[in-house]
Every structure is written in structure tokens, then in C-alpha cells.
Amino acid sequence: PRGDTILNVPLATFNTIVLILSSVTMVMAWASLMRRRFETYRIYMGATILLGFVFLVVKYFEYTAKFEHHLYPSTNNFLAIYFTLTGLHMLHVMGGMAVNAYFWGPGAKLWKTNPVWFTNRVEHSGLFWHFVDLVWIFLFPTLYLL
């Protein structure tokens, strides 16, 4: 089976847009810190975390639809690869969200004592976030469109 026959391409397209937007908000969060605008940083980082959550919710509904139609990793090789790759990707999204949530919440205390270190840490978290986004940019066409 081809991906475009058993996978939801419009939903995956929406999720692709969500992740690209989350990369934009991540850059804006970092840029806000560079401009010493902590409250603006909190808004953009919060938006990044929220967009990651939207991605996961959409994936939940996508997975649920597969299971309702009795499409499991054991059904065929394509679905085994699909669930493995998208499942690993989701774990990395959750990891990135956890780190970003830490920097949005309790880790933000570092801003008061050492804003340069805090900004660098947020930048590194952003690099990971962009990498996870980039992986999706390759997964989406490979799984859904080819």
C-alpha cells in the first residue's frame, strides 16, 4: 500500500504547517531574549509549546483512526515503518516540549541571574527543535506523498 492511500494527507499537511510555525515562534522566542524582552519571549515560547501540543493531538487522532480501521504496525511493512518513524518523531517532539516548558517555567529563573547563559540555552533548545522539525519535513513527503 502507498502512504497516500491509507494515510490522511490533509491532516499531515496541517501538522507540517503547525511544525513550521512552531519553528518560527521558537526563533521569535530566542530573538526576544536577544532584545532583552523577557515577557515577549514567554509569549513566543508558550506558543511554541502549544504548537507542539497541537501536533501531538493531531497525531493522536491520526493514530486512533488507524487503530479503528484495524491498521496496526503488524498489518504490513509500510505501517510498521510508519508507526516506528512517526512514533520516534513524536517522542522527540515531547522531549523538545519538555525542555522548552522547563525554560518557559522554572528554568526561566536563570534569566534574572545570567541572561546570556539563559539565552544560549534557549538557543540550543531551539536548534534541537528545528532539527526535529527538519526531520518531519523529510518524513512527511516520504511517508505521506511517495
Side-chain angles (χ1 to χ4, degrees), residues 55-56 59-60 63 83-97 132:
F55 178 87
L56 293 177
K59 261 305 174 210
Y60 166 79
Y63 273 28
F83 280 112
T84 299
L85 293 178
T86 59
L88 285 170
H89 183 262
M90 283 192 307
L91 287 174
H92 285 84
V93 169
M94 288 186 267
M97 287 172 63
V132 172

Side-chain angles (χ1 to χ4, degrees), residues 24-136:
V24 172
T25 58
M26 188 75 216
V27 168
M28 295 304 291
W30 170 79
S32 298
L33 292 176
M34 292 296 288
R35 293 182 171 163
R36 307 240 183 241
R37 296 180 180 162
F38 183 76
E39 291 306 316
T40 306
Y41 153 78
R42 296 281 304 252
I43 292 167
Y44 281 118
M45 184 60 92
T48 303
I49 297 162
L50 183 64
L51 287 165
F53 184 71
V54 168
F55 178 87
L56 293 177
V57 167
V58 169
K59 261 305 174 210
Y60 166 79
F61 284 112
E62 204 175 348
Y63 273 28
T64 303
K66 298 285 165 289
F67 298 150
E68 286 174 359
H69 290 96
H70 305 288
L71 297 170
Y72 304 104
S74 60
T75 304
N76 59 48
N77 285 341
F78 174 78
L79 285 173
I81 292 167
Y82 165 79
F83 280 112
T84 299
L85 293 178
T86 59
L88 285 170
H89 183 262
M90 283 192 307
L91 287 174
H92 285 84
V93 169
M94 288 186 267
M97 287 172 63
V99 171
N100 287 341
Y102 173 76
F103 287 135
W104 183 85
K109 287 184 278 190
L110 183 59
W111 173 256
K112 292 177 183 167
T113 57
N114 197 332
V116 173
W117 279 14
F118 180 72
T119 302
N120 286 340
R121 289 176 180 185
V122 168
E123 182 177 17
H124 294 148
S125 178
L127 291 172
F128 177 79
W129 192 255
H130 298 316
F131 173 73
V132 172
D133 189 10
L134 183 63
V135 168
W136 182 256

